[in-house]
Amino acid sequence: MGRKLDAREYKLLLNPQIFGQSPNLDAANTFWAQRIRQIVQTADPEAGPFENNGCRLIRFWDTSNRDLGDNDLILRTRQDTTSDFVANGVQRATLKLRMPDQFIVATAWLAKPEDEEAENVETKFEEDIGPLEVLARPPGEQPKVVTPLKLSTRNRFSLSSGIDLTPNDPLDRFDHVLALFPGVAELVCVSAEQSDLNLAGGPLIHEYVFKGSEVALVEGAKAKFTLSIWCFDAPLKQPDVAEMSFVVKTDGGKMSGQVARQAYNLFNNFQGSLSEIIDQDHTSKTSLALPDRGPR
């Protein structure tokens, strides 16, 4: 039967040019007041702005042959930092399996089952929901995002397992990934002589994250909002990626039709109201951060 769905996360990629250098809580809440509040008030007139912010260092990893990415796997390391991006916490490695088939993802495993049962790893089974769009590549032209006339969603399912690393835990070869996440052996076909493949890192990401805003939905459900802004390679510069998202948790793996419909309508209202500032060139922030994403 597999895992029960923990939550549904609705994600909207925005044009990062609308945010200036040095993102901060005041700027995030100015954006909320000018563009977001009028949308969420239809669901919750009392919804407030973001209340807290944080800074993190993030990097995505893969082999030169894309052994992880070609098998729907994403490997990320992340550290909490001070406001000037000095690491002050433990580095966490997270591996995510993400694909459209719910049952494949629900029955997969990544970390050691005994570690998952003992809660030595943080494992989540979620549904990722974004705009229904594809990245088209017209002959002789730059790729561009194409959306349907009627707004809708693209749904994928993700299983993620996160493990805290000690300073002595290496993570620069494929066999290190297998040691941390042995379930990868069932998902990636790599011969024995290739098991020591080196990992390549994508750009160092300086992430500004703003949280704490909640919108009350029907039946006591809540939509919890996050604004994430990425600056590649260096902070205090024009952002490279901006994403607004909200999470709605399930009730023991279930969600009523009323809650699902309200969240769906809310997300489509965001797509319509923010259409002129949605990123028209990319469909995923992760794709921009992988080692093989091309020149910046």
Side-chain angles (χ1 to χ4, degrees):
M1 183 176 180
R3 305 169 189 271
K4 293 181 179 180
L5 195 68
D6 296 314
R8 311 179 85 192
E9 184 172 11
Y10 302 75
K11 302 177 180 180
L12 192 63
L13 206 58
L14 304 175
N15 181 351
Q17 298 297 317
I18 65 174
F19 297 97
Q21 296 181 4
S22 306
N24 55 60
L25 186 58
D26 286 341
N29 280 333
T30 296
F31 172 70
W32 177 277
Q34 293 177 347
R35 302 305 303 261
I36 306 302
R37 182 169 56 193
Q38 60 185 337
I39 305 173
V40 300
Q41 280 185 333
T42 60
D44 180 6
E46 303 300 321
F50 301 109
E51 295 181 351
N52 54 72
N53 63 288
C55 297
R56 302 187 289 206
L57 289 172
I58 299 175
R59 179 164 273 166
F60 291 81
W61 305 84
D62 206 340
T63 67
S64 59
N65 294 327
R66 299 179 59 188
D67 293 287
L68 296 175
D70 285 350
N71 289 280
D72 302 305
L73 292 165
I74 301 166
L75 177 64
R76 180 194 70 206
T77 54
R78 184 167 70 190
Q79 284 182 289
D80 291 332
T81 73
T82 61
S83 59
D84 53 357
F85 289 97
V86 175
N88 63 352
V90 175
Q91 182 171 226
R92 167 162 288 207
T94 298
L95 186 69
K96 178 180 290 187
L97 171 65
R98 181 166 61 193
M99 60 187 303
D101 194 294
Q102 176 181 358
F103 297 101
I104 293 176
V105 180
T107 54
W109 60 281
L110 301 173
K112 298 175 183 177
E114 59 269 25
D115 285 343
E116 188 175 322
E117 292 175 4
E119 298 184 351
N120 295 328
V121 301
E122 182 182 18
T123 297
K124 299 178 182 178
F125 176 44
E126 300 177 317
E127 186 174 6
D128 290 344
I129 302 172
L132 179 58
E133 56 189 17
V134 295
L135 191 61
R137 301 181 184 274
E141 298 181 22
Q142 291 293 323
K144 61 180 180 180
V145 173
V146 178
T147 58
L149 292 177
K150 181 180 179 181
L151 295 175
S152 189
T153 61
R154 176 187 63 173
N155 299 42
R156 293 179 295 178
F157 295 87
S158 68
L159 173 68
S160 63
S161 288
I163 300 176
D164 289 340
L165 301 176
T166 70
N168 297 324
D169 287 333
L171 189 60
D172 54 15
R173 297 203 310 269
F174 187 76
D175 55 344
H176 297 153
V177 179
L178 289 174
L180 289 171
F181 306 101
V184 172
E186 302 293 325
L187 302 169
V188 180
C189 295
V190 176
S191 61
E193 61 269 19
Q194 292 179 293
S195 62
D196 62 346
L197 286 172
N198 292 333
L199 296 180
L204 182 62
I205 300 167
H206 300 78
E207 180 184 52
Y208 300 84
V209 58
F210 305 94
K211 295 185 175 184
S213 176
E214 295 184 352
V215 173
L217 304 178
V218 296
E219 300 178 5
K222 294 180 180 180
K224 296 185 177 183
F225 280 76
T226 298
L227 174 64
S228 298
I229 297 177
W230 287 1
C231 295
F232 291 146
D233 301 324
L236 307 180
K237 60 186 285 288
Q238 178 64 46
D240 296 284
V241 177
E243 181 187 78
M244 191 192 64
S245 63
F246 65 88
V247 173
V248 181
K249 292 186 176 181
T250 67
D251 183 7
K254 298 179 180 180
M255 181 176 289
S256 75
Q258 284 187 306
V259 173
R261 172 61 70 178
Q262 189 179 24
Y264 177 82
N265 289 341
L266 182 62
F267 185 67
N268 280 340
N269 286 342
F270 273 108
Q271 291 191 64
S273 299
L274 303 179
S275 58
E276 80 279 10
I277 60 170
I278 292 177
D279 191 326
Q280 300 293 322
D281 300 315
H282 309 99
T283 60
S284 165
K285 66 177 183 178
T286 302
S287 65
L288 291 165
L290 294 172
D292 62 348
R293 71 184 184 91
R296 299 190 288 280

